[in-house]
Amino acid sequence: MATIYIDNVPYEVKDGENLLQACLSVGKNLTYFCWHPALHSVGACRQCAVIRYRDENDTRGRIVMACMEPVADQARISIDAPEAKKFRAQNIESLMINHPHDCPVCDEGGECHLQDMTVMSGHNYRRYRFKKRTHLNQYLGPFLHHEMNRCIQCYRCVRFYNDYAEGKDFGVFAAHDDVYFGRYEPGVLENEFSGNLVEVCPTGVFTDKTLRKRYTRKWDLTNAPSICHQCGLGCNIIASERYGSLRRILNRYNGDVNGYFICDRGRFGYEYVNSQRRIQHALKQEPAGQWQGLKKDTAIREIRNRIRAAKRVIGIGSPRASLESNFLLRELAGAEHFYAGVSEKESRLIKEVLHILRHSGVRTPSLKETETYDAIFVIGEDVTNTAPRLALSLRQAAKNQPKEKAKALKIADWNDAAIREVIQGQKGPLFIAAPYATRLDDAALATHQAHPDEIARLAFAVAHHVDAAAADAELPEKAKAFARQVADALVAAKKPLIVAGTSLYSPSLIHAAANVAMALKKAGKEAGLTYTVPEVNSMGLMMMTDQYLEQAFEQVYSGQADMVIVVENDLYRRLPADQVDEFFRKAGTVVVLDSIAHRTGEHAHFVLPAGTFAESSGTVVNNEGRAQRFFQVYQPRNDIQSTWKWLQAFVEKEQLAAANLDDVIQQLTMAYPELEGVREAAPGAQFRVGTQKIPREPHRYSGRTAMLAHINVSEPKPPEDPDSPLSFTMEGYVGTPPAPLTPFFWSPGWNSVQAVNRYQQEVGGMLRGGNPGRRLIEANGSSLQYFTDIPAAFHPDNFHWNIVPAYHIFGSDELSALSEPLQERIPALYLALSPADAQALQLQPGQQAELNVSGQTLRLPVVIRPDLPGGYVLVPKGWEATAGWLFPVQSSLKPMQV
């Protein structure tokens, strides 16, 4: 620690920081634009000027830019000196010369960093009376609206997009004093993290186009802390509502997980919450196939009678349902009749991941910790498309080894411009072995494409190179050279990281990754091991049961069960359609609880409307084993309610009959002691600051009476929430609540997302009181031996083609694919193969090819990909036509006959 004097008051600050970060960390108001905690310093905007003095006897000092000055013990600066204040006010006046006078109509109004800094600097009168410079705006795709006239040339956007996220289709164009930030021509921004420009931009240049369609002033939004449900990483988000519909998603800072950024699927994939396909009322299907609406009480009574009359009830859970919902289904059906709603293949893979994380002795890092590793080996995963935010962290980790040159020159970590000048685009040891070229390949030092079995063999060979005691596999010369290169780089690193996952449905890949990590650990390295999983609560679900979907089907096929309750799950996405059809023919009474209408619901006798993440509260467990709580944003309309609340009405246990969320969690942890940490994921419903709850609405919230004036002109009583310490009002505690309960970031003078600085122990660090969530899994020691299940070498078969799943960030996820903004980015279903295979089959690009999978004939347009080595084909995972395929599958393949 160092002691610095700010306006003659001593403060202890962290060594290695710059003065701007230090000033903000101790709560000082100092204006800035170009600096960002994740992007660091370039000194472009000149807005953070302070006076720095030589010593206590210096009364004159000199103006310096705080973001470019290192902290030094006994340093003396002044923020409030008249010269510094005048400089900052004049500087912002020059930045504002061409800025339009459009705050009343600007999308950013009320949440604008430029507004905050203008007021903070004291600049309040515009003297410029001449014609302003103007620009044409660009079409940038379905996510972002572009308003270039509001730009103040802070360069944040291009630094994030090009330097941090490593996008290639966005830049800065300049001639003389005319600077333009955009694409070389209008078009869709291709980078998967482009939506972060909404929060990175300190003005209204880049705004959320999905919010713009049904615009609401930011201070009129009801907010709640939530968890992104679009993949297995569990990024923290702020969900916002108005008039009973979800309006936007913002990143919610968590220093252990997503930090300052989320992916575009997480940010813009929420529109399914407002979908026309939402189930609004309880429904009953008559024998003739007609649907009849039921009152809530009637539906509960009829279903309860069916449960009492049933010979045996089985419950089918879901990896997109909360722990609480899955637990109450287990209590209803009985532990022996509760099944994970995923296939045996997926169940066993995730179970194996859990086993390895618990017993391998190798730590699974958080997303933030991932950025500290200096060599990475990705085994089989297309990370950008299966776990997007992880890909962004891996891009930062790949820069660590090149940054050692800058450290040798004693360049501070925060000096971004100087570091990039030294690195000159050099790549660190990031290696990727996958079935096809991935979006992360441009950051990799070397890549290798092969069939999943060959990738597993390669990874086993890497482990053997690290430790000769590990099992080995014979490889072709090219693969052997790649394995040696990877092994040497991992052994030379201080902190190597191994990344794998379940996307290719290969236990050998899971085991090979564990072998490499354990071999590195044995070699004395501070190794890390990260596995990706498919859905938001895949890990949590598999902590609760060893039984899988096919076993549930067997119960019905054998006549042992005559009633099925399916929770938040479309079974047609889990198993082949013919198996699911047969299951429903024999299932007896079927009850489906879900938010979206789908094929499974069409076979139900009763359908109950479940709340989405925006309308319910609960707990999920991410890929690292971190339990995290999400909270209801608003009270849903009609009969919609949390799945666990529906199930509560059917459970014949007195202690659960009128339970709130805390009571359910108590029962859950009693049944599963290993989930005890779930209680600590967030404060309970009785938490108060003094006597006050935490308001979901900002203190400037307006229109509460007017919103319901068509019903009653008097203000109704606000809804009550017995499941959390959050209130559905603007009244309550206005300070800094515990991190898991923070519904929005605001502090006096800080109305933009930059207000998060006031919620952190130090800027860019941990949130006050600790980051949200509680890890349930820690690597406490190794009890595993090296795995030996090396698959046989892959040999192509021209009669039975191997189909490998290809993933897309837009399209492969079930719910986000229903969001209208994303649908423009979802590619059409295709079949990809190598040029050599296409030539052998006499297939041309765009020509239709015919596949036959499990008796299902599918005709798909051909895409020829030079990155494929041949012998297998790719088909996108998650599309309706391929939803129930148990990858990898085999098929005949031939040109479609005309």
Side-chain angles (χ1 to χ4, degrees):
M1 300 294 286
T3 299
I4 64 172
Y5 292 82
I6 304 174
D7 292 308
N8 294 318
V9 178
Y11 294 93
E12 278 200 349
V13 298
K14 187 177 178 182
D15 283 320
E17 293 181 347
N18 59 63
L19 286 176
L20 172 59
Q21 188 170 358
C23 289
L24 295 172
S25 293
V26 298
K28 292 295 182 181
N29 285 338
L30 180 56
T31 59
Y32 64 90
F33 287 119
C34 67
W35 180 81
H36 186 282
L39 308 179
H40 303 303
S41 305
V42 293
C45 71
R46 323 303 290 170
Q47 190 55 44
C48 60
V50 296
I51 301 293
R52 182 160 189 171
Y53 303 97
R54 289 192 304 273
D55 52 42
E56 65 271 20
N57 299 316
D58 183 5
T59 59
R60 184 175 181 180
R62 63 188 177 91
I63 289 180
V64 299
M65 300 306 121
C67 74
M68 298 302 293
E69 287 287 310
V71 163
D73 194 37
Q74 302 302 308
R76 290 179 174 270
I77 64 170
S78 175
I79 297 174
D80 294 332
E83 296 89 347
K85 295 175 75 172
K86 182 179 179 182
F87 184 98
R88 293 196 298 270
Q90 289 178 338
N91 185 68
I92 206 167
E93 181 178 25
S94 68
L95 293 175
M96 295 283 285
I97 280 176
N98 288 294
H99 195 84
H101 296 224
D102 66 343
C103 291
V105 297
C106 177
D107 294 10
E108 198 77 357
E111 204 176 60
C112 178
H113 185 61
L114 176 60
Q115 285 179 332
D116 290 346
M117 298 300 98
T118 303
V119 172
M120 197 177 291
S121 72
H123 168 58
N124 55 18
Y125 183 77
R126 297 190 181 191
R127 296 178 290 173
Y128 187 75
R129 292 291 179 267
F130 304 99
K131 187 176 180 180
K132 291 179 180 289
R133 181 185 61 223
T134 58
H135 297 283
L136 293 175
N137 302 321
Q138 286 185 324
Y139 170 76
L140 298 178
F143 301 152
L144 296 180
H145 178 73
H146 188 227
E147 194 71 48
M148 185 58 206
N149 291 330
R150 298 172 183 156
C151 182
I152 58 168
Q153 294 85 47
C154 72
Y155 285 83
R156 268 201 198 181
C157 58
V158 74
R159 289 172 57 219
F160 168 77
Y161 195 93
N162 292 356
D163 301 336
Y164 194 91
E166 299 182 344
K168 303 294 190 293
D169 61 325
F170 179 89
V172 54
F173 307 89
H176 189 45
D177 65 343
D178 194 0
V179 183
Y180 190 90
F181 295 86
R183 287 172 52 89
Y184 66 94
E185 64 179 3
V188 177
L189 286 174
E190 297 172 2
N191 191 273
E192 296 82 4
F193 303 93
S194 64
N196 290 291
L197 295 178
V198 171
E199 296 182 57
V200 167
C201 178
T203 73
V205 177
F206 303 98
T207 51
D208 186 337
K209 191 178 283 188
T210 66
L211 172 62
R212 187 182 177 87
K213 288 190 302 184
R214 293 171 297 166
Y215 187 71
T216 299
R217 283 298 185 188
K218 315 300 174 64
W219 60 80
D220 282 338
L221 290 169
T222 300
N223 312 278
S226 192
I227 303 298
C228 179
H229 277 49
Q230 318 307 346
C231 81
L233 296 179
C235 291
N236 289 211
I237 58 173
I238 294 172
S240 302
E241 171 268 351
R242 181 74 166 176
Y243 288 108
S245 67
L246 197 60
R247 295 298 175 90
R248 73 165 180 185
I249 297 294
L250 284 182
N251 180 76
R252 178 166 60 101
Y253 181 87
N254 183 323
D256 284 330
V257 189
N258 44 292
Y260 290 94
F261 308 118
I262 55 175
C263 74
D264 286 355
R265 182 163 78 189
R267 186 181 295 274
F268 301 112
Y270 68 87
E271 286 276 20
Y272 68 89
V273 174
N274 309 319
S275 169
Q276 295 296 316
R277 289 177 56 180
R278 284 298 305 274
I279 303 166
Q280 302 283 346
H281 302 278
L283 300 169
K284 179 181 181 180
Q285 186 167 199
E286 300 296 337
Q290 300 297 316
W291 287 96
Q292 171 191 346
L294 293 179
K295 290 184 178 180
K296 182 178 176 180
D297 292 342
T298 304
I300 290 173
R301 184 174 61 254
E302 289 197 25
I303 294 171
R304 188 182 289 157
N305 290 338
R306 296 279 188 111
I307 292 171
R308 288 171 178 165
K311 179 171 61 177
R312 177 178 294 173
V313 178
I314 62 172
I316 297 178
S318 171
R320 60 177 169 89
S322 66
L323 288 176
E324 293 81 3
S325 295
N326 281 301
F327 171 69
L328 281 182
L329 180 60
R330 172 192 183 270
E331 292 298 286
L332 175 61
E336 67 278 15
H337 305 307
F338 171 67
Y339 301 88
V342 294
S343 67
E344 177 181 5
K345 186 176 291 186
E346 185 174 314
S347 296
R348 292 190 183 282
L349 283 172
I350 299 171
K351 275 290 183 184
E352 196 64 12
V353 166
L354 277 167
H355 180 68
I356 291 169
L357 296 188
R358 284 169 172 156
H359 302 293
S360 67
V362 182
R363 178 175 173 79
T364 296
S366 68
L367 279 175
K368 183 63 176 178
E369 290 172 323
T370 297
E371 298 178 8
T372 66
Y373 287 79
D374 57 353
I376 307 103
F377 182 26
V378 180
I379 304 173
E381 282 298 298
D382 179 2
V383 182
T384 307
N385 290 316
T386 60
R389 184 59 185 80
L390 174 60
L392 191 61
S393 291
L394 294 180
R395 287 185 181 275
Q396 312 323 308
K399 301 169 188 175
N400 286 334
Q401 204 170 98
K403 283 182 179 178
E404 292 297 320
K405 290 184 179 180
K407 286 184 180 179
L409 296 172
K410 297 185 179 179
I411 298 174
D413 288 341
W414 49 261
N415 198 338
D416 182 63
I419 290 174
R420 284 190 284 110
E421 184 67 24
V422 171
I423 291 175
Q424 291 291 315
Q426 181 183 345
K427 295 179 179 179
L430 166 60
F431 302 94
I432 301 174
Y436 51 89
T438 74
R439 296 277 290 184
L440 193 57
D441 286 5
D442 63 329
L445 186 63
T447 65
H448 182 78
Q449 284 82 44
H451 185 272
D453 289 347
E454 290 298 314
I455 296 171
R457 292 173 62 83
L458 182 146
F460 275 111
V462 169
H464 179 76
H465 284 310
V466 176
D467 180 7
D472 194 11
E474 286 295 323
L475 300 174
E477 285 304 316
K478 182 180 177 182
K480 189 181 295 184
F482 181 80
R484 172 63 69 181
Q485 181 186 11
V486 172
D488 290 346
L490 295 175
V491 169
K494 297 175 183 176
K495 289 183 66 176
L497 175 66
I498 309 305
V499 178
T502 63
S503 67
L504 296 178
Y505 299 94
S506 169
S508 296
L509 283 174
I510 301 293
H511 293 158
N515 271 17
V516 178
M518 290 190 294
L520 290 167
K521 189 76 173 178
K522 186 177 176 182
K525 299 298 175 181
E526 194 180 342
L529 176 61
T530 293
Y531 288 110
T532 66
V533 294
E535 296 176 69
V536 65
N537 202 26
S538 291
M539 293 285 274
L541 176 64
M542 298 316 303
M543 288 178 172
M544 298 178 67
T545 182
D546 295 322
Q547 302 185 119
Y548 41 83
L549 194 53
E550 286 91 337
Q551 291 176 313
F553 280 24
E554 290 169 8
Q555 289 282 306
V556 169
Y557 292 159
S558 64
Q560 297 181 53
D562 57 350
M563 186 172 183
V564 178
I565 300 177
V566 182
V567 163
E568 298 186 45
N569 210 334
D570 183 2
L571 304 188
Y572 284 95
R573 296 186 64 87
R574 308 295 180 182
L575 290 174
D578 57 341
Q579 295 183 34
V580 183
D581 287 340
E582 180 67 15
F583 170 74
F584 283 126
R585 279 195 290 270
K586 298 181 177 180
T589 300
V590 176
V591 179
V592 170
L593 295 89
D594 214 332
S595 55
I596 297 289
H598 47 58
R599 287 179 69 186
T600 293
E602 294 172 6
H603 294 275
H605 297 86
F606 296 91
V607 173
L608 302 179
T612 63
F613 73 93
E615 300 146 329
S616 56
S617 300
T619 312
V620 290
V621 181
N622 76 350
N623 67 309
E624 61 163 316
R626 183 183 299 271
Q628 300 185 105
R629 191 76 39 79
F630 62 94
F631 291 100
Q632 185 177 8
V633 188
Y634 60 98
Q635 287 279 29
R637 298 175 179 175
N638 305 319
D639 295 335
I640 298 172
Q641 62 179 0
S642 300
T643 297
W644 64 266
K645 288 191 175 181
W646 279 111
L647 293 169
Q648 195 175 52
F650 308 132
V651 175
E652 301 279 355
K653 287 193 175 181
E654 185 177 341
Q655 64 268 34
L656 291 171
N660 64 12
L661 187 65
D662 290 348
D663 298 328
V664 176
I665 290 172
Q666 181 179 357
Q667 295 295 317
L668 165 70
T669 54
M670 288 173 61
Y672 296 97
E674 65 272 25
L675 297 179
E676 177 64 30
V678 169
R679 295 191 192 201
E680 301 172 28
Q686 301 307 312
F687 175 84
R688 299 289 185 276
V689 180
T691 60
Q692 296 177 308
K693 281 194 163 192
I694 312 300
R696 285 175 167 89
E697 299 166 355
H699 66 282
R700 294 190 178 96
Y701 191 90
S702 64
R704 294 197 304 198
T705 303
M707 290 171 70
L708 299 173
H710 63 293
I711 300 173
N712 195 323
V713 293
S714 63
E715 184 175 340
K717 180 183 176 182
E720 294 184 1
D721 184 0
D723 301 312
S724 80
L726 301 171
S727 69
F728 288 105
T729 67
M730 58 190 281
E731 292 80 23
Y733 179 65
V734 295
T736 303
L741 300 178
T742 302
F744 51 84
F745 295 115
W746 180 87
S747 185
W750 299 83
N751 298 284
S752 74
V753 293
Q754 312 295 323
V756 70
N757 297 339
R758 292 293 194 262
Y759 290 72
Q760 297 165 332
Q761 294 178 14
E762 59 179 356
V763 173
M766 185 179 291
L767 290 166
R768 294 181 187 177
N771 293 316
R774 173 71 153 75
R775 280 179 67 118
L776 305 178
I777 302 173
E778 293 293 349
N780 295 320
S782 175
S783 60
L784 294 182
Q785 302 296 318
Y786 286 126
F787 294 98
T788 59
D789 55 326
I790 302 173
F794 172 69
H795 296 290
D797 183 344
N798 292 335
F799 298 99
H800 299 92
W801 286 83
N802 231 254
I803 302 178
V804 173
Y807 290 83
H808 293 267
I809 187 171
F810 307 121
S812 291
D813 172 63
E814 175 186 4
L815 295 181
S816 66
L818 301 175
S819 298
E820 184 180 344
L822 264 62
Q823 290 173 353
E824 184 177 328
R825 302 290 304 277
I826 297 175
L829 192 59
Y830 63 86
L831 180 147
L833 69 170
S834 71
D837 289 339
Q839 184 177 6
L841 291 166
Q842 298 182 336
L843 286 167
Q844 300 297 322
Q847 183 180 350
Q848 296 282 318
E850 190 173 278
L851 290 172
N852 192 287
V853 178
S854 302
Q856 175 190 0
T857 299
L858 200 59
R859 296 178 176 87
L860 300 176
V862 168
V863 172
I864 298 176
R865 292 182 53 160
D867 56 295
L868 295 180
Y872 58 92
V873 299
L874 304 178
V875 174
K877 175 81 166 64
W879 274 243
E880 186 174 352
T882 64
W885 290 8
L886 294 175
F887 287 99
V889 296
Q890 289 190 333
S891 169
S892 60
L893 176 60
K894 61 182 180 180
M896 183 178 169
Q897 300 299 320
V898 179

